Amino acid sequence: MTVLPGRLSLPMDSILNEEFSATMNRRDFLKQTGLLMGSLALGKLASAAMPSSGASAPAQGGASKPDVLFIAIEDVSPQRFHTWGNPICQTPNFDRLASQGLRFDLAHCMAAPCNPSRTSLLLGLRPETHGVFGNFTDWHPRVPGRVTMVEHFKNNGYETIRMGKMFHAEFEDPKSWTEVIDQGEKVQSGKQRKELLGPGAEMKKTGAPGVPFVYGPSGLEDEEEPDGYNATQCIKQIEKKRDKPAFITLGFHRPHLPFTCPDKYFAMYDPNKIPLPVLNEKEKNMKPGGDADMRDDFSMTDQQKREAIAAEYACITFVDAQVGRVLDALEKSGKADNTIVVVWSDHGFLLGEHRCWRKGALYDKGVMVALMMKAPGVTKAGSVCKRPVESIDIFPTLYDLCGLPMPDQAMECVSMRTILQNPEAQWKFGARTMSGNKSHRSLRTEKFRYTIYPDGKTELFDYAKDPDELTNVADDPEYKSVVAELKPKLDGDWKGLLPAGFALPEQCKRTPKVVNAPPSEKELQKLKQLQATNKENGGSDGEPSSNATSKPARRRGKTSPRAAASTQEVGSEE
């Protein structure tokens, strides 16, 4: 039985005896010292010289810049993968990639849901700066003239190719791409998804009225699914001979709702063997009709909850299989030793923890992301980083690895090359995340999570004693000094999270140019349209999350902190 190093511990670890072996790496890269890269890649000695542009040497160090394969996944917490310690969900290909590169155990999105998370990643700006907190806010008019993180690759000689989702929905950025693989009918709304299901589909609905959980076998084969189709197109792009380096993105829609994929993946999971999340006594004794976050939980039987969790596991394993096909193709192409691979999920997804379902709640499984990086000549095979990291730093890291300068504009992110080379090196004090608006914010350090809600209420969890986040110790006198240390870090400038003596790039000292315009009539109309069609489409991309509500939910005459956080300019929909 193979166990990956540094595996996260989950309460479910003793439930299932069967574990799944990770494929071991074919070659182990030697550890680097400082800027000198002494690893061997195809017999080439990597250069330690700094280019005159001020950018670091490329990962391979040769004349040819490395390719980048960026795999984005929707709506999934790392704790759902076997790679991060889940004993039930089978992810042998993600396990394989982890055994070849670096796994991050405390990686975070900048804000949930999808649009604010992806906007921060792809603009290099934080949510409190760009002001996008919901799924119907167009970022373009807020940052006129801004070069996106992908566009910067294009401007520096890369072919930029996209399959599937990268930016959120209709807020894609055509100028960032040299090529977009047209999915045609395979890009679907909720209604179209239903029309494209196979004759053997067995879909079920549960959860809150109006925005149900939809799940079940699709009746399709792998390559009939949009994600399977996109994986095949990605393989063709990998196999293609090019004169320029390539930045290839493969965006998977699963395991976003509806939880549907080919039947064989559902057959792998028996709902009766799925444990339900651990709750504290207060959560166990809660009654229906209170917190909007919990409306799904009170609308589902325990069996339906187990079925929904099993359905998400099925979708994750389906995505894993597609990733396996892509990794196989990369190996066969002969390009693997000059290709940086990134796996990233846009945010987490709660499956009944704290009686919450879907996204937006500021708990570990709600805002942590699945992040792995394999950079030949830089990352060490099978390494694990337990430092808190922020998704916004991924693209500066890629620029660094590819020998590109930072974009000539204000940036709110930095390269993580230091911890790619040495995962135990000193890094940021913590990772900050927001949800709904900037007054709903959270800071995660290696030991604690400190959260402030819009109404001023606070939460503090001590993970050494309470890994399931069952006991709020924010008002415990024993933790007074901890709160005194964390609050200024959460409320202060983002640069205050950096380690002492960090050499800040000049671009990070500039003030971003942002137009804080109110939501347009088009955005508001889009919100109304999607809300009106949710009942019909059940589980579509426009489905409101469990913490989205037009009115703050009330319990005993008081506004729920999480529900209050969701009342914003255009809602916190998926």
Side-chain angles (χ1 to χ4, degrees):
M1 182 173 65
T2 302
V3 180
L4 294 176
R7 177 175 297 281
L8 292 178
S9 176
L10 292 179
M12 298 186 293
D13 281 348
S14 61
I15 300 296
L16 200 64
N17 293 326
E18 187 175 9
E19 291 221 357
F20 304 92
S21 296
T23 304
M24 298 305 295
N25 186 22
R26 293 185 297 119
R27 53 177 69 82
D28 190 12
F29 294 109
L30 300 176
K31 191 173 183 180
Q32 304 174 31
T33 303
L35 289 175
L36 180 64
M37 296 182 293
S39 63
L40 294 175
L42 294 177
K44 298 179 181 178
L45 180 65
S47 167
M50 295 286 286
S52 58
S53 64
S56 298
Q60 280 295 330
S64 175
K65 293 187 183 299
D67 292 335
V68 178
L69 173 61
F70 195 110
I71 299 172
I73 313 169
E74 288 217 67
D75 292 20
V76 63
S77 314
Q79 295 89 343
R80 312 303 180 197
F81 296 71
H82 176 262
T83 313
W84 276 271
N86 190 306
I88 299 176
C89 189
Q90 303 178 41
T91 54
N93 294 295
F94 287 116
D95 293 353
R96 180 193 356 168
L97 183 60
S99 74
Q100 297 172 348
L102 172 62
R103 189 190 81 210
F104 292 87
D105 281 358
L106 290 176
H108 283 71
C109 68
M110 306 312 297
C114 305
N115 192 27
S117 174
R118 291 168 183 263
T119 298
S120 289
L121 173 81
L122 294 163
L123 295 186
L125 296 176
R126 293 171 178 266
E128 63 267 36
T129 298
H130 59 62
V132 174
F133 286 99
N135 272 2
F136 307 115
T137 304
D138 187 353
W139 58 267
H140 289 87
R142 293 170 177 259
V143 286
R146 187 164 183 86
V147 175
T148 73
M149 302 295 96
V150 176
E151 187 181 6
H152 187 61
F153 271 102
K154 178 182 172 183
N155 293 346
N156 280 270
Y158 273 73
E159 292 185 40
T160 54
I161 305 110
R162 174 175 68 84
M163 285 128 304
K165 180 176 176 179
M166 196 61 177
F167 290 88
H168 181 64
E170 64 265 39
F171 305 136
E172 255 298 348
D173 190 63
K175 65 182 174 59
S176 292
W177 309 100
T178 59
E179 185 176 4
V180 176
I181 306 303
D182 185 8
Q183 300 170 80
E185 291 300 317
K186 293 185 178 293
V187 178
Q188 308 126 27
S189 67
K191 183 178 180 180
Q192 289 171 322
R193 283 181 183 137
K194 288 190 289 185
E195 292 171 351
L196 288 175
L197 291 173
E202 301 176 18
M203 306 302 290
K204 296 182 180 181
K205 285 186 179 182
T206 186
V211 284
F213 262 76
V214 179
Y215 61 88
S218 66
L220 302 174
E221 298 298 325
D222 282 26
E223 292 191 56
E224 293 177 316
E225 294 278 358
D227 286 337
Y229 174 88
N230 284 338
T232 298
Q233 299 308 309
C234 184
I235 290 169
K236 293 178 181 178
Q237 291 297 319
I238 289 171
E239 294 172 343
K240 188 176 179 179
K241 295 188 181 300
R242 305 176 188 277
D243 297 327
K244 296 181 178 180
F247 180 89
I248 300 173
T249 65
L250 173 58
F252 286 106
H253 294 284
R254 298 279 82 80
H256 191 293
L257 284 169
F259 292 159
T260 181
C261 64
D263 305 45
K264 62 185 177 182
Y265 300 102
F266 276 81
M268 297 171 69
Y269 298 101
D270 180 356
N272 295 316
K273 294 182 179 180
I274 301 292
L276 295 178
V278 177
L279 303 175
N280 62 32
E281 288 304 313
K282 181 180 178 181
E283 292 164 346
K284 289 177 183 177
N285 295 324
M286 286 180 173
K287 304 298 181 183
D291 196 329
D293 277 0
M294 302 175 185
R295 59 186 179 178
D296 284 305
D297 199 77
F298 289 114
S299 301
M300 302 164 72
T301 65
D302 283 353
Q303 181 62 19
Q304 288 173 327
K305 293 174 186 177
R306 292 188 174 93
E307 289 175 354
I309 296 170
E312 196 201 45
Y313 289 173
C315 291
I316 294 170
T317 302
F318 162 64
V319 170
D320 178 88
Q322 310 319 304
V323 169
R325 292 201 293 131
V326 171
L327 294 179
D328 289 344
L330 182 60
E331 288 289 336
K332 291 177 183 177
S333 73
K335 300 177 182 179
D337 289 316
N338 196 40
T339 300
I340 299 165
V341 180
V342 179
V343 167
W344 171 78
S345 63
D346 55 3
H347 50 72
F349 195 95
L350 291 161
L351 293 173
E353 293 85 5
H354 307 284
R355 303 201 84 144
C356 297
W357 294 76
R358 313 187 196 231
K359 63 195 77 176
L362 295 175
Y363 298 113
D364 267 8
K365 294 183 178 70
V367 293
M368 283 178 60
V369 302
L371 178 62
M372 289 185 283
M373 297 184 73
K374 177 189 175 186
V378 178
T379 54
K380 183 180 179 180
S383 53
V384 177
C385 179
K386 296 183 177 295
R387 305 297 191 213
V389 301
E390 300 179 312
S391 293
I392 197 171
D393 293 328
I394 294 174
F395 270 89
T397 306
L398 293 176
Y399 300 152
D400 197 346
L401 296 173
C402 294
L404 305 183
M406 287 272 273
D408 186 18
Q409 59 190 7
M411 302 285 284
E412 296 182 318
C413 45
V414 296
S415 171
M416 298 187 291
R417 186 174 183 135
T418 297
I419 52 174
L420 263 65
Q421 296 175 176
N422 177 12
E424 296 182 1
Q426 186 180 10
W427 192 236
K428 289 183 176 179
F429 179 85
R432 291 202 308 211
T433 306
M434 297 179 178
S435 180
N437 54 60
K438 62 184 178 182
S439 64
H440 186 199
R441 58 207 188 277
S442 187
L443 176 69
R444 179 62 153 95
T445 69
E446 292 181 43
K447 297 179 179 180
F448 302 100
R449 176 178 294 283
Y450 180 64
T451 301
I452 300 178
Y453 289 96
D455 65 356
K457 291 182 179 179
T458 59
E459 281 179 338
L460 178 67
F461 297 114
D462 181 347
Y463 289 95
K465 299 179 181 179
D466 181 24
D468 296 313
E469 305 167 323
L470 300 178
T471 305
N472 178 12
V473 295
D475 296 326
D476 188 329
E478 181 183 343
Y479 291 89
K480 185 177 180 180
S481 62
V482 174
V483 172
E485 180 184 25
L486 298 183
K487 190 177 188 303
K489 293 290 187 181
L490 176 56
D491 291 339
D493 187 90
W494 68 271
K495 302 179 192 72
L497 299 174
L498 293 167
F502 188 87
L504 200 65
E506 187 274 332
Q507 292 91 332
C508 295
K509 300 174 184 177
R510 303 181 193 175
T511 301
K513 298 177 181 179
V514 179
V515 178
N516 290 315
S520 67
E521 185 62 32
K522 179 181 177 182
E523 291 168 350
L524 294 174
Q525 186 62 32
K526 180 70 174 176
L527 171 58
K528 292 178 182 178
Q529 290 173 351
L530 288 170
Q531 287 176 332
T533 57
N534 275 331
K535 282 188 179 182
E536 179 183 5
N537 289 353
S540 72
D541 285 336
E543 171 192 355
S545 65
S546 65
N547 71 330
T549 176
S550 57
K551 249 183 196 179
R554 296 189 175 274
R555 180 166 57 241
R556 294 176 187 164
K558 294 184 179 180
T559 301
S560 157
R562 287 187 295 271
S566 71
T567 56
Q568 48 163 311
E569 55 183 35
V570 287
S572 56
E573 293 73 13
E574 295 181 19

